[in-house]
Structure formats: C-alpha cells, structure tokens
Coordinates of all heavy atoms in Angstrom, one line a residue:
M1 N 0.9 -1.2 0.0 CA 0.0 0.0 0.0 C 0.9 1.2 0.0 O 1.7 1.4 0.9 CB -0.9 0.0 1.2 CG -1.8 1.2 1.4 SD -3.0 1.1 2.7 CE -2.0 1.6 4.1
S2 N 0.7 2.0 -1.0 CA 1.5 3.3 -1.1 C 0.8 4.4 -0.3 O -0.4 4.7 -0.5 CB 1.6 3.7 -2.5 OG 2.3 4.9 -2.6
I3 N 1.5 4.9 0.7 CA 0.9 5.9 1.6 C 0.8 7.3 0.9 O -0.3 7.8 0.8 CB 1.7 6.0 2.9 CG1 1.8 4.7 3.6 CG2 1.0 7.0 3.9 CD1 0.6 4.1 4.2
L4 N 1.9 7.8 0.5 CA 1.9 9.1 -0.2 C 1.6 9.0 -1.6 O 2.3 8.2 -2.4 CB 3.3 9.7 0.0 CG 3.8 10.0 1.4 CD1 5.2 10.6 1.4 CD2 2.9 11.0 2.1
I5 N 0.6 9.7 -2.1 CA 0.3 9.7 -3.5 C 1.0 10.8 -4.3 O 1.7 10.5 -5.2 CB -1.3 9.8 -3.7 CG1 -2.0 8.6 -3.1 CG2 -1.6 9.9 -5.2 CD1 -3.5 8.7 -3.0
K6 N 0.9 12.0 -3.8 CA 1.6 13.1 -4.5 C 1.5 14.4 -3.6 O 0.6 14.5 -2.7 CB 0.9 13.5 -5.8 CG -0.5 14.0 -5.7 CD -1.1 14.3 -7.1 CE -2.5 14.8 -6.9 NZ -3.1 15.2 -8.2
P7 N 2.5 15.3 -3.7 CA 2.4 16.5 -3.0 C 1.4 17.4 -3.7 O 1.2 17.4 -4.9 CB 3.8 17.1 -3.1 CG 4.4 16.4 -4.2 CD 3.8 15.1 -4.4
I8 N 0.7 18.3 -2.9 CA -0.2 19.2 -3.4 C 0.5 20.6 -3.5 O 0.9 21.1 -2.4 CB -1.5 19.3 -2.5 CG1 -2.2 17.9 -2.6 CG2 -2.4 20.4 -3.0 CD1 -3.4 17.8 -1.7
I9 N 0.5 21.1 -4.7 CA 1.2 22.4 -4.9 C 0.2 23.4 -5.4 O -0.1 23.4 -6.6 CB 2.4 22.2 -5.9 CG1 3.4 21.2 -5.4 CG2 3.1 23.6 -6.1 CD1 4.5 20.8 -6.3
T10 N -0.3 24.2 -4.5 CA -1.3 25.2 -4.8 C -0.7 26.5 -4.1 O 0.3 26.5 -3.4 CB -2.7 24.9 -4.3 OG1 -2.6 24.8 -2.8 CG2 -3.3 23.7 -4.9
E11 N -1.4 27.6 -4.4 CA -1.0 28.9 -3.8 C -1.1 28.8 -2.3 O -0.1 29.2 -1.6 CB -1.8 30.0 -4.3 CG -1.5 30.4 -5.7 CD -2.3 31.6 -6.2 OE1 -2.6 32.5 -5.3 OE2 -2.7 31.7 -7.3
K12 N -2.1 28.3 -1.8 CA -2.3 28.2 -0.3 C -1.3 27.2 0.3 O -0.7 27.5 1.4 CB -3.8 27.7 0.0 CG -4.2 27.7 1.4 CD -5.6 27.3 1.6 CE -6.0 27.4 3.0 NZ -7.5 27.1 3.2
A13 N -1.1 26.1 -0.3 CA -0.1 25.1 0.2 C 1.3 25.7 0.2 O 2.1 25.4 1.1 CB -0.2 23.8 -0.5
T14 N 1.6 26.4 -0.9 CA 3.0 26.9 -1.0 C 3.2 28.0 0.0 O 4.3 28.1 0.7 CB 3.2 27.5 -2.4 OG1 3.0 26.5 -3.4 CG2 4.6 28.0 -2.6
A15 N 2.2 28.9 0.2 CA 2.3 29.9 1.3 C 2.4 29.3 2.7 O 3.2 29.8 3.5 CB 1.1 30.8 1.2
N16 N 1.7 28.2 2.9 CA 1.8 27.5 4.2 C 3.1 26.9 4.4 O 3.6 26.9 5.5 CB 0.7 26.5 4.3 CG 0.3 26.1 5.7 OD1 0.7 26.7 6.6 ND2 -0.3 24.9 5.8
S17 N 3.8 26.4 3.4 CA 5.1 25.8 3.5 C 6.2 26.9 3.8 O 7.1 26.6 4.5 CB 5.4 25.0 2.3 OG 5.6 25.8 1.2
E18 N 6.0 28.0 3.2 CA 7.0 29.1 3.4 C 6.8 29.8 4.7 O 7.8 30.1 5.4 CB 6.8 30.2 2.3 CG 7.2 29.7 0.9 CD 6.9 30.7 -0.2 OE1 6.3 31.7 0.1 OE2 7.2 30.4 -1.3
V19 N 5.6 30.0 5.2 CA 5.4 30.7 6.5 C 5.5 29.8 7.7 O 6.1 30.0 8.6 CB 4.0 31.4 6.4 CG1 3.7 32.1 7.7 CG2 4.0 32.4 5.3
N20 N 4.7 28.6 7.6 CA 4.6 27.8 8.8 C 5.4 26.5 8.7 O 5.3 25.7 9.6 CB 3.1 27.4 9.0 CG 2.3 28.6 9.2 OD1 2.7 29.6 9.8 ND2 1.0 28.6 8.7
N21 N 6.1 26.2 7.6 CA 6.9 25.0 7.5 C 6.0 23.8 7.5 O 6.3 22.7 8.0 CB 8.0 24.9 8.5 CG 9.1 24.0 8.1 OD1 9.3 23.8 6.9 ND2 9.9 23.5 9.0
C22 N 4.8 23.9 6.8 CA 3.8 22.8 6.7 C 3.7 22.4 5.2 O 3.5 23.3 4.4 CB 2.5 23.2 7.3 SG 2.5 23.5 9.0
Y23 N 3.8 21.2 4.9 CA 3.6 20.7 3.5 C 2.4 19.8 3.4 O 2.0 19.1 4.3 CB 4.9 19.9 3.1 CG 6.1 20.8 3.1 CD1 6.9 21.0 4.3 CD2 6.5 21.4 2.0 CE1 8.0 21.8 4.3 CE2 7.6 22.2 2.0 CZ 8.4 22.4 3.1 OH 9.5 23.2 3.1
T24 N 1.7 19.9 2.3 CA 0.5 19.2 2.0 C 0.7 18.1 1.0 O 1.3 18.3 0.0 CB -0.6 20.2 1.5 OG1 -0.7 21.3 2.4 CG2 -2.0 19.5 1.5
F25 N 0.1 16.9 1.4 CA 0.2 15.7 0.5 C -1.2 15.1 0.3 O -2.0 15.1 1.2 CB 1.1 14.7 1.1 CG 2.6 15.1 1.2 CD1 3.0 15.7 2.4 CD2 3.4 15.0 0.2 CE1 4.3 16.1 2.6 CE2 4.8 15.4 0.3 CZ 5.2 15.9 1.5
A26 N -1.4 14.5 -0.9 CA -2.5 13.7 -1.1 C -2.1 12.3 -0.6 O -1.0 11.8 -1.0 CB -3.0 13.7 -2.5
V27 N -2.9 11.6 0.3 CA -2.5 10.3 0.8 C -3.6 9.3 0.6 O -4.7 9.6 0.2 CB -2.1 10.5 2.3 CG1 -0.9 11.4 2.5 CG2 -3.3 11.0 3.1
N28 N -3.2 8.1 0.9 CA -4.2 7.0 0.8 C -5.3 7.2 1.8 O -5.1 7.6 2.9 CB -3.5 5.7 1.0 CG -4.3 4.5 0.7 OD1 -5.5 4.5 0.7 ND2 -3.7 3.4 0.3
T29 N -6.6 6.9 1.4 CA -7.7 7.2 2.3 C -7.7 6.3 3.5 O -8.3 6.6 4.5 CB -9.0 7.0 1.5 OG1 -9.0 5.7 0.9 CG2 -9.2 8.0 0.4
K30 N -7.0 5.1 3.5 CA -6.9 4.2 4.6 C -5.8 4.5 5.5 O -5.7 3.9 6.6 CB -6.9 2.8 4.1 CG -8.0 2.4 3.1 CD -8.8 1.3 3.7 CE -9.8 0.9 2.6 NZ -11.1 1.2 3.0
A31 N -4.9 5.4 5.2 CA -3.7 5.7 6.0 C -4.0 6.5 7.2 O -4.9 7.4 7.2 CB -2.7 6.4 5.1
N32 N -3.3 6.2 8.3 CA -3.5 7.0 9.5 C -2.3 7.9 9.7 O -1.4 7.9 9.0 CB -3.8 6.1 10.8 CG -2.6 5.2 11.0 OD1 -1.5 5.4 10.7 ND2 -2.9 4.0 11.7
K33 N -2.4 8.7 10.8 CA -1.4 9.7 11.0 C 0.0 9.2 11.3 O 1.0 9.7 10.8 CB -1.8 10.7 12.2 CG -3.0 11.5 11.9 CD -3.3 12.4 13.0 CE -4.5 13.2 12.7 NZ -4.8 14.2 13.8
V34 N 0.1 8.1 12.0 CA 1.4 7.4 12.3 C 2.0 6.9 11.0 O 3.2 7.1 10.8 CB 1.2 6.3 13.3 CG1 2.5 5.6 13.6 CG2 0.6 6.8 14.6
E35 N 1.2 6.3 10.1 CA 1.8 5.8 8.9 C 2.2 6.9 8.0 O 3.3 6.8 7.3 CB 0.7 4.9 8.2 CG 0.4 3.6 8.9 CD -0.8 2.9 8.2 OE1 -1.6 3.6 7.5 OE2 -1.0 1.7 8.5
I36 N 1.5 8.0 8.0 CA 1.8 9.2 7.1 C 3.1 9.7 7.6 O 4.0 10.1 6.8 CB 0.7 10.2 7.1 CG1 -0.5 9.6 6.5 CG2 1.2 11.5 6.5 CD1 -1.8 10.4 6.7
K37 N 3.3 9.9 9.0 CA 4.5 10.4 9.5 C 5.7 9.6 9.2 O 6.8 10.1 8.7 CB 4.4 10.5 11.1 CG 5.6 11.0 11.7 CD 5.4 11.1 13.2 CE 6.7 11.6 13.9 NZ 6.6 11.7 15.4
K38 N 5.6 8.3 9.3 CA 6.7 7.4 8.9 C 7.1 7.4 7.5 O 8.2 7.4 7.1 CB 6.4 5.9 9.4 CG 6.4 5.7 10.8 CD 6.0 4.3 11.2 CE 6.0 4.1 12.7 NZ 5.6 2.7 13.1
A39 N 6.0 7.5 6.6 CA 6.3 7.6 5.2 C 7.0 8.9 4.8 O 7.9 8.8 3.9 CB 5.0 7.5 4.4
V40 N 6.6 10.0 5.3 CA 7.3 11.3 5.0 C 8.7 11.3 5.5 O 9.6 11.7 4.8 CB 6.5 12.5 5.5 CG1 7.2 13.7 5.4 CG2 5.1 12.6 4.9
E41 N 8.9 10.8 6.7 CA 10.3 10.7 7.2 C 11.2 9.8 6.4 O 12.3 10.1 6.2 CB 10.3 10.3 8.7 CG 9.7 11.3 9.6 CD 9.6 10.9 11.0 OE1 9.7 9.7 11.3 OE2 9.4 11.7 11.9
A42 N 10.6 8.7 5.9 CA 11.4 7.7 5.1 C 11.7 8.3 3.7 O 12.8 8.1 3.2 CB 10.6 6.4 5.0
V43 N 10.7 8.9 3.1 CA 10.9 9.3 1.7 C 11.8 10.6 1.6 O 12.7 10.7 0.8 CB 9.5 9.6 1.0 CG1 9.7 10.3 -0.3 CG2 8.8 8.3 0.9
Y44 N 11.5 11.6 2.5 CA 12.2 12.9 2.4 C 13.4 13.0 3.4 O 14.1 14.0 3.3 CB 11.2 14.0 2.5 CG 10.2 14.1 1.4 CD1 8.9 13.6 1.5 CD2 10.6 14.5 0.1 CE1 8.0 13.7 0.5 CE2 9.7 14.6 -0.9 CZ 8.4 14.2 -0.7 OH 7.5 14.2 -1.8
G45 N 13.5 12.2 4.3 CA 14.6 12.2 5.3 C 14.5 13.4 6.2 O 15.5 14.0 6.5
V46 N 13.3 13.8 6.7 CA 13.1 14.9 7.6 C 12.4 14.4 8.8 O 12.0 13.3 8.9 CB 12.3 16.0 6.9 CG1 13.0 16.6 5.7 CG2 10.9 15.5 6.5
S47 N 12.4 15.2 9.9 CA 11.7 14.8 11.1 C 10.4 15.6 11.2 O 10.3 16.8 11.0 CB 12.5 15.1 12.3 OG 12.9 16.5 12.4
V48 N 9.3 14.9 11.4 CA 8.0 15.4 11.4 C 7.5 15.7 12.8 O 7.7 14.8 13.7 CB 7.0 14.4 10.7 CG1 5.6 14.9 10.8 CG2 7.4 14.2 9.2
E49 N 7.0 16.9 13.1 CA 6.4 17.2 14.4 C 4.9 16.9 14.5 O 4.5 16.3 15.5 CB 6.6 18.7 14.7 CG 8.0 19.1 15.1 CD 8.1 20.5 15.5 OE1 7.1 21.2 15.5 OE2 9.2 20.9 15.9
K50 N 4.2 17.3 13.5 CA 2.7 17.1 13.6 C 2.1 16.7 12.3 O 2.6 17.2 11.2 CB 2.1 18.4 14.1 CG 0.6 18.3 14.4 CD -0.1 19.6 14.6 CE 0.5 20.7 15.4 NZ -0.4 21.9 15.6
V51 N 1.0 15.9 12.3 CA 0.3 15.6 11.1 C -1.2 15.9 11.3 O -1.7 15.4 12.3 CB 0.5 14.1 10.8 CG1 -0.3 13.7 9.5 CG2 2.0 13.7 10.5
R52 N -1.7 16.6 10.4 CA -3.2 16.9 10.4 C -3.8 16.3 9.1 O -3.2 16.4 8.0 CB -3.5 18.4 10.5 CG -3.0 18.9 11.8 CD -3.3 20.4 11.8 NE -2.3 21.0 10.9 CZ -2.4 22.3 10.5 NH1 -3.4 23.1 10.9 NH2 -1.4 22.8 9.7
T53 N -4.9 15.6 9.2 CA -5.5 15.0 8.0 C -6.9 15.6 7.8 O -7.6 16.1 8.7 CB -5.7 13.5 8.2 OG1 -6.5 13.2 9.4 CG2 -4.4 12.8 8.4
I54 N -7.3 15.6 6.5 CA -8.6 16.1 6.0 C -9.2 15.1 5.0 O -8.5 14.7 4.1 CB -8.4 17.5 5.3 CG1 -7.7 18.5 6.1 CG2 -9.7 18.0 4.8 CD1 -7.1 19.6 5.4
N55 N -10.4 14.7 5.3 CA -11.1 13.9 4.3 C -12.0 14.8 3.5 O -12.9 15.4 4.0 CB -12.0 12.8 5.0 CG -11.2 11.7 5.6 OD1 -10.3 11.2 4.9 ND2 -11.5 11.3 6.8
V56 N -11.7 14.8 2.2 CA -12.4 15.7 1.2 C -13.5 14.8 0.6 O -13.2 13.8 0.0 CB -11.5 16.3 0.2 CG1 -12.3 17.2 -0.8 CG2 -10.4 17.1 0.8
R57 N -14.7 15.3 0.7 CA -15.9 14.5 0.2 C -15.9 14.6 -1.3 O -15.4 15.5 -1.9 CB -17.2 14.9 0.8 CG -17.6 16.3 0.5 CD -18.9 16.7 1.1 NE -19.1 18.1 1.0 CZ -19.6 18.7 -0.1 NH1 -19.9 18.0 -1.1 NH2 -19.8 20.0 -0.2
P58 N -16.5 13.6 -1.9 CA -16.7 13.6 -3.4 C -17.7 14.7 -3.8 O -18.7 15.0 -3.1 CB -17.2 12.2 -3.8 CG -17.7 11.7 -2.6 CD -17.0 12.3 -1.4
E59 N -17.4 15.3 -5.0 CA -18.3 16.4 -5.5 C -19.3 15.7 -6.4 O -18.9 15.0 -7.4 CB -17.5 17.4 -6.2 CG -18.3 18.6 -6.7 CD -17.5 19.6 -7.4 OE1 -16.3 19.7 -7.1 OE2 -18.0 20.3 -8.3
R60 N -20.6 15.9 -6.2 CA -21.6 15.3 -7.0 C -22.1 16.3 -8.0 O -22.3 17.4 -7.7 CB -22.8 14.8 -6.1 CG -22.3 13.8 -5.1 CD -23.5 13.2 -4.3 NE -23.0 12.3 -3.3 CZ -22.6 11.1 -3.5 NH1 -22.6 10.5 -4.7 NH2 -22.2 10.3 -2.5
R61 N -22.3 15.8 -9.3 CA -22.8 16.6 -10.4 C -23.9 16.0 -11.1 O -24.0 14.7 -11.2 CB -21.6 16.9 -11.3 CG -20.5 17.6 -10.7 CD -19.4 17.9 -11.8 NE -18.3 18.6 -11.1 CZ -17.1 18.7 -11.6 NH1 -16.9 18.2 -12.8 NH2 -16.2 19.4 -11.0
T62 N -24.8 16.8 -11.6 CA -25.9 16.3 -12.4 C -25.9 17.1 -13.7 O -25.8 18.3 -13.7 CB -27.3 16.6 -11.7 OG1 -27.2 15.9 -10.4 CG2 -28.4 16.0 -12.5
R63 N -26.0 16.4 -14.9 CA -26.1 17.0 -16.2 C -27.4 16.6 -16.8 O -27.9 15.4 -16.7 CB -24.9 16.5 -17.1 CG -23.6 17.1 -16.6 CD -22.6 16.6 -17.6 NE -22.4 15.2 -17.4 CZ -21.5 14.4 -18.0 NH1 -20.8 14.9 -19.0 NH2 -21.4 13.2 -17.8
F64 N -28.0 17.5 -17.5 CA -29.2 17.3 -18.3 C -28.9 17.2 -19.7 O -28.4 18.1 -20.3 CB -30.2 18.4 -18.0 CG -30.6 18.6 -16.6 CD1 -29.9 19.5 -15.8 CD2 -31.6 17.8 -16.0 CE1 -30.3 19.6 -14.4 CE2 -31.9 17.9 -14.7 CZ -31.3 18.8 -13.9
T65 N -29.0 16.0 -20.3 CA -28.7 15.7 -21.7 C -29.9 15.3 -22.5 O -31.0 15.2 -21.9 CB -27.6 14.6 -21.8 OG1 -28.2 13.4 -21.3 CG2 -26.4 15.0 -21.0
K66 N -29.7 15.1 -23.8 CA -30.8 14.7 -24.6 C -31.4 13.3 -24.2 O -32.6 13.0 -24.3 CB -30.4 14.6 -26.1 CG -30.1 15.9 -26.7 CD -29.7 15.6 -28.2 CE -29.3 16.9 -28.8 NZ -28.8 16.7 -30.2
T67 N -30.5 12.4 -23.7 CA -30.9 11.1 -23.4 C -31.4 11.0 -22.0 O -31.9 9.9 -21.6 CB -29.7 10.1 -23.5 OG1 -28.6 10.6 -22.7 CG2 -29.2 10.1 -25.0
G68 N -31.3 12.1 -21.2 CA -31.8 12.0 -19.8 C -30.9 12.7 -18.8 O -29.9 13.3 -19.2
I69 N -31.1 12.5 -17.6 CA -30.3 13.0 -16.5 C -29.1 12.1 -16.2 O -29.3 10.9 -16.0 CB -31.1 13.3 -15.3 CG1 -32.3 14.2 -15.5 CG2 -30.3 13.8 -14.1 CD1 -33.3 14.4 -14.4
Q70 N -27.9 12.7 -16.2 CA -26.7 11.9 -16.0 C -26.2 12.3 -14.6 O -26.0 13.5 -14.3 CB -25.6 12.2 -17.0 CG -26.0 11.9 -18.4 CD -26.1 10.4 -18.6 OE1 -25.3 9.6 -18.1 NE2 -27.1 10.0 -19.4
H71 N -26.0 11.4 -13.7 CA -25.5 11.6 -12.4 C -24.0 11.1 -12.3 O -23.7 10.1 -12.8 CB -26.3 10.9 -11.3 CG -27.7 11.4 -11.2 ND1 -28.1 12.6 -10.7 CD2 -28.8 10.8 -11.7 CE1 -29.4 12.7 -10.8 NE2 -29.9 11.6 -11.4
G72 N -23.2 11.9 -11.6 CA -21.8 11.5 -11.5 C -21.2 12.1 -10.2 O -21.8 13.0 -9.6
K73 N -20.0 11.6 -9.9 CA -19.3 12.2 -8.7 C -17.8 12.0 -8.9 O -17.3 11.1 -9.7 CB -19.7 11.5 -7.4 CG -19.3 10.1 -7.2 CD -19.8 9.6 -5.9 CE -19.3 8.2 -5.6 NZ -17.9 8.1 -5.4
T74 N -17.0 12.9 -8.3 CA -15.6 12.8 -8.3 C -15.1 11.8 -7.2 O -16.0 11.4 -6.3 CB -14.9 14.1 -8.1 OG1 -15.3 14.6 -6.8 CG2 -15.3 15.1 -9.2
N75 N -13.9 11.5 -7.1 CA -13.4 10.6 -6.1 C -13.1 11.3 -4.8 O -12.8 12.5 -4.8 CB -12.1 9.9 -6.5 CG -12.2 9.0 -7.7 OD1 -13.3 8.4 -7.9 ND2 -11.2 8.9 -8.5
A76 N -13.3 10.6 -3.7 CA -13.0 11.1 -2.4 C -11.5 11.1 -2.2 O -10.8 10.2 -2.7 CB -13.6 10.3 -1.3
V77 N -10.9 12.1 -1.5 CA -9.5 12.3 -1.4 C -9.2 12.5 0.1 O -10.0 13.2 0.8 CB -9.0 13.5 -2.2 CG1 -7.5 13.7 -2.1 CG2 -9.3 13.3 -3.7
K78 N -8.0 12.1 0.5 CA -7.6 12.4 1.9 C -6.3 13.2 1.8 O -5.4 12.8 1.0 CB -7.3 11.1 2.7 CG -7.0 11.4 4.1 CD -6.9 10.0 4.9 CE -6.9 10.3 6.4 NZ -7.0 9.0 7.1
K79 N -6.3 14.4 2.4 CA -5.1 15.2 2.4 C -4.4 15.2 3.8 O -5.1 15.0 4.8 CB -5.5 16.7 2.1 CG -6.1 16.9 0.8 CD -6.4 18.4 0.6 CE -7.1 18.7 -0.6 NZ -7.4 20.1 -0.8
A80 N -3.1 15.3 3.8 CA -2.4 15.4 5.1 C -1.5 16.6 5.0 O -0.8 16.9 4.1 CB -1.5 14.1 5.2
I81 N -1.6 17.4 6.1 CA -0.8 18.6 6.3 C 0.3 18.2 7.3 O 0.0 17.9 8.5 CB -1.6 19.8 6.7 CG1 -2.7 20.1 5.7 CG2 -0.7 21.0 7.0 CD1 -3.6 21.2 6.1
V82 N 1.5 18.2 6.9 CA 2.6 17.7 7.7 C 3.5 18.9 8.1 O 4.0 19.7 7.3 CB 3.5 16.7 6.9 CG1 4.7 16.3 7.7 CG2 2.6 15.6 6.5
Q83 N 3.6 19.1 9.5 CA 4.5 20.2 10.0 C 5.9 19.6 10.3 O 5.9 18.6 11.1 CB 3.9 20.8 11.2 CG 4.7 22.0 11.7 CD 4.0 22.7 12.8 OE1 3.0 22.4 13.2 NE2 4.6 23.8 13.3
L84 N 6.9 20.2 9.8 CA 8.3 19.7 10.0 C 8.9 20.4 11.2 O 8.4 21.4 11.7 CB 9.1 19.9 8.8 CG 8.6 19.3 7.5 CD1 9.6 19.6 6.4 CD2 8.4 17.8 7.6
A85 N 10.0 19.8 11.7 CA 10.7 20.4 12.8 C 11.4 21.7 12.3 O 11.6 21.9 11.2 CB 11.8 19.4 13.3
E86 N 11.8 22.5 13.3 CA 12.4 23.8 13.0 C 13.7 23.6 12.3 O 14.5 22.8 12.7 CB 12.6 24.5 14.3 CG 13.1 26.0 14.1 CD 12.0 26.9 13.6 OE1 10.8 26.6 13.8 OE2 12.3 27.8 12.8
G87 N 13.9 24.3 11.2 CA 15.1 24.2 10.4 C 15.1 23.1 9.3 O 16.0 23.1 8.4
E88 N 14.1 22.3 9.2 CA 13.9 21.3 8.2 C 13.1 21.8 7.0 O 12.3 22.7 7.2 CB 13.2 20.0 8.8 CG 13.8 19.4 9.9 CD 14.8 18.3 9.5 OE1 14.7 17.8 8.4 OE2 15.6 17.9 10.3
M89 N 13.3 21.3 5.8 CA 12.5 21.7 4.7 C 12.6 20.6 3.6 O 13.5 19.8 3.6 CB 13.0 23.0 4.1 CG 14.3 23.1 3.5 SD 14.7 24.6 2.7 CE 13.7 24.6 1.2
I90 N 11.5 20.6 2.8 CA 11.4 19.7 1.7 C 11.5 20.5 0.4 O 10.7 21.4 0.2 CB 10.1 18.9 1.7 CG1 10.1 18.0 3.0 CG2 10.0 18.0 0.5 CD1 8.8 17.3 3.2
D91 N 12.3 20.1 -0.6 CA 12.4 20.7 -1.9 C 11.5 19.9 -2.8 O 12.0 18.9 -3.4 CB 13.8 20.8 -2.4 CG 13.9 21.6 -3.6 OD1 12.9 22.3 -4.0 OD2 15.0 21.6 -4.3
L92 N 10.3 20.3 -3.1 CA 9.3 19.6 -3.9 C 9.6 19.8 -5.4 O 9.2 19.0 -6.2 CB 7.9 20.0 -3.6 CG 7.4 19.7 -2.2 CD1 6.0 20.3 -2.0 CD2 7.4 18.2 -1.9
Y93 N 10.4 20.8 -5.8 CA 10.6 21.1 -7.1 C 11.9 20.5 -7.7 O 12.2 20.7 -8.9 CB 10.7 22.7 -7.3 CG 9.4 23.3 -6.9 CD1 9.4 24.0 -5.7 CD2 8.3 23.3 -7.6 CE1 8.2 24.7 -5.3 CE2 7.1 23.9 -7.2 CZ 7.1 24.6 -6.1 OH 5.9 25.2 -5.7
S94 N 12.7 19.8 -6.9 CA 13.9 19.2 -7.3 C 13.8 18.1 -8.4 O 14.6 17.9 -9.2 CB 14.7 18.7 -6.2 OG 14.0 17.6 -5.5
N95 N 12.6 17.4 -8.4 CA 12.4 16.3 -9.3 C 11.8 16.7 -10.6 O 11.6 15.8 -11.5 CB 11.5 15.2 -8.6 CG 12.1 14.6 -7.4 OD1 13.3 14.6 -7.2 ND2 11.3 14.1 -6.5
M96 N 11.5 17.9 -10.8 CA 10.9 18.4 -12.1 C 11.8 18.5 -13.2 O 12.9 18.8 -13.1 CB 10.1 19.7 -11.8 CG 8.9 19.5 -10.9 SD 8.1 21.0 -10.8 CE 6.5 20.5 -10.2

C-alpha cells in the first residue's frame, strides 16, 4: 500500500510551507497519522512534528442531456498537512 500519492502544490499550500513549514500531500484514504509520519520521514529524510488529516468528500454533479439526466461524482480524497521540525525543509521542485 502506497501511503503518499503526491504533494499538493497550490498557492495556499505553498504559502503555508513558506510561512509555517507545513507541507500538504494527497495520501491513501486508509492511511492514519502514524503511517503518514513514517512515510514522509522515510521518503524525504526529515523529522515530522505534527500531522493533520482532512477527508475531502466527493463532489456530486448532475447533467441534463438529450438522453436524460446523468449523475456522477468525483473521487474522495484524503489530504495530510505535515509540519516539520524547525530548520527542516522539503524541496518539492527538485524532481521536475
């Protein structure tokens, strides 16, 4: 089971990483905080102080077409906001 799916790079996440030393990742929906902490420490070689998780609900949409009403939804996602120890940092742009 892969715990970390991808880092989330948005304006809000980037500002949070610069100001508060917190990085945001999309993680597996079954992963808990302890597993997320161990995965980030193993992959990036940093020490993690705190992990906060968010379950993002799926967005439901309805379309009206010629053939009738089409119902659909997006996938549910779990996000993890990881706060690193003082002086630590992750360079997310080095692999690009």
Side-chain angles (χ1 to χ4, degrees):
M1 176 171 84
S2 177
I3 305 288
L4 298 177
I5 297 172
K6 64 180 179 179
I8 296 175
I9 302 172
T10 59
E11 288 184 31
K12 187 175 183 179
T14 304
N16 199 18
S17 67
E18 292 172 356
V19 176
N20 299 326
N21 205 20
C22 295
Y23 295 87
T24 307
F25 296 94
V27 295
N28 191 333
T29 55
K30 306 241 185 246
N32 60 25
K33 293 182 180 185
V34 176
E35 293 172 341
I36 295 168
K37 179 180 178 179
K38 289 179 182 177
V40 170
E41 288 176 345
V43 171
Y44 294 104
V46 294
S47 57
V48 175
E49 282 187 356
K50 189 193 317 188
V51 176
R52 294 176 289 166
T53 58
I54 305 165
N55 284 314
V56 180
R57 64 180 169 80
E59 182 178 335
R60 300 186 185 280
R61 295 182 181 166
T62 304
R63 287 182 292 179
F64 299 95
T65 63
K66 290 180 184 178
T67 59
I69 300 173
Q70 300 290 322
H71 299 284
K73 69 179 184 73
T74 60
N75 292 332
V77 179
K78 188 172 193 176
K79 295 180 186 179
I81 300 172
V82 178
Q83 183 173 4
L84 302 181
E86 190 67 33
E88 301 269 343
M89 67 176 284
I90 297 174
D91 187 15
L92 298 175
Y93 301 105
S94 64
N95 295 337
M96 293 183 161

